Amino acid sequence: MPYPTSESLSKRLKRPVTAITAYDYPAARICDEAGVDLILVGDSLGMVVAGFEDTTSVTLDHMVYHTEMVRRGVQRAVLVADLPFGTYETPEMALKSSLRLMDAGADAVKLEGGFGQISKLERLREAGIAACAHIGMLPQRVKEEGGYKKKGKSEEEANNLIRAAVALEQAGVIAIVLESVVAEIAAKITNSVEIPTIGIGSGTQCGGQIRVIHDVIGAYPWFVPPFATVHGDVARVMRQSVIKFIEENE
Ligand code: KIV
């Protein structure tokens, strides 16, 4: 089966784009049936599913396994899978890793970074693989950066982000995730490109929003990012249900 083209995926991603992560079949199916535009098999699964400290321990095998599960639940939304840390160091490595995610059922892959990723995105484009970019705070670099920090605070950083977004659009990406970017700069980036910017912790003036599903449904009570609006309390429902089960069988 040929992979979906960037053009066909772009037609399905009209602003405002609603995007959410999913890591398994039931969550993917519920999000797809609810009408979300884009489902991301995010490497955030390293934290909210696998219990790692950050995303850097996630492997390509983990991502392939979860992408296969999610594919079975998605009929309608665009399905994007993250290339995990260390799997896209060169254009050829990016291609080889992306092919595994595409063969697991992704419609497109996502990678973190700006100018340094252009040659890899060009290699993917040549091979007919659609891609999303991710700039601003890059979770795969959290160790080097010493934490999750807001981006675009200085003029130099803000200008670099805007120029990177334009270069990524020219390299053919179908959307750009903006993570933890100063809201005013995220708005400027959004106005500088035609493709949707999809914000997380980057204010309301993006071309769409993405959230980690556990934050939206309240399924990871031990850490909730400051920008998250929690719409459910799945952790409490789960805990109470298990307590009831124990009580009924004691
Ligand atoms: O891995 C992930 O969930 C992500 C989102 C935070 C955009 O990259």
Side-chain angles (χ1 to χ4, degrees):
M1 267 264 282
Y3 303 133
T5 62
S6 297
E7 292 71 27
S8 69
L9 296 173
S10 291
K11 281 195 192 128
R12 293 161 61 189
L13 291 182
K14 294 287 170 230
R15 300 183 188 194
V17 174
T18 51
I20 197 158
T21 64
Y23 315 105
D24 59 24
Y25 171 82
R29 187 164 169 183
I30 289 168
C31 293
D32 195 53
E33 288 174 357
V36 78
D37 300 309
L38 183 153
I39 293 180
L40 173 69
V41 187
D43 60 356
S44 49
L45 67 84
M47 283 102 85
V48 297
V49 176
F52 294 131
E53 199 175 306
D54 56 47
T55 61
T56 60
S57 303
V58 176
T59 66
L60 192 56
D61 285 342
H62 294 148
M63 294 305 300
V64 165
Y65 182 52
H66 285 275
T67 301
E68 285 169 350
M69 294 180 209
V70 169
R71 176 74 277 168
R72 288 190 279 272
V74 177
Q75 304 254 335
R76 195 193 39 75
V78 173
L79 198 175
V80 179
D82 266 339
L83 283 164
F85 179 69
T87 66
Y88 52 102
E89 302 292 296
T90 64
E92 285 316 307
M93 230 177 137
L95 175 61
K96 205 168 158 209
S97 303
S98 299
L99 285 169
R100 287 204 56 208
L101 294 177
M102 299 299 286
D103 292 342
D107 293 322
V109 298
K110 174 165 82 60
L111 47 75
E112 294 185 9
F115 295 108
Q117 308 304 7
I118 301 293
S119 60
K120 299 158 199 173
L121 290 165
E122 282 167 350
R123 186 69 191 94
L124 297 187
R125 184 149 74 160
E126 262 172 38
I129 295 174
C132 287
H134 181 150
I135 59 174
M137 199 287 137
L138 306 179
Q140 293 176 5
R141 300 212 190 137
V142 67
K143 286 199 170 89
E144 287 160 64
E145 301 217 345
Y148 295 88
K149 295 183 182 150
K150 201 85 181 168
K151 296 291 168 170
K153 283 187 175 169
S154 69
E155 200 180 323
E156 189 190 351
E157 205 171 66
N159 286 336
N160 268 338
L161 284 170
I162 298 168
R163 288 192 307 110
V166 172
L168 289 163
E169 178 171 55
Q170 279 165 4
V173 300
I174 58 169
I176 306 176
V177 169
L178 302 180
E179 179 158 354
S180 295
V181 173
V182 172
E184 189 197 328
I185 306 309
K188 281 194 181 159
I189 296 171
T190 303
N191 292 329
S192 306
V193 293
E194 296 284 321
I195 51 171
T197 56
I198 310 182
I200 177 161
S202 301
T204 55
Q205 302 303 304
C206 299
Q209 295 290 330
I210 184 161
R211 294 292 181 270
V212 168
I213 188 166
H214 288 61
D215 298 340
V216 174
I217 65 173
Y220 194 85
W222 307 281
F223 174 74
V224 181
F227 53 78
T229 311
V230 185
H231 293 285
D233 198 348
V234 165
R236 193 182 63 82
V237 171
M238 201 185 268
R239 190 176 277 125
Q240 289 306 324
S241 306
V242 175
I243 289 170
K244 279 193 186 134
F245 165 74
I246 294 168
E247 284 168 358
E248 129 197 309
N249 289 288
E250 263 172 349

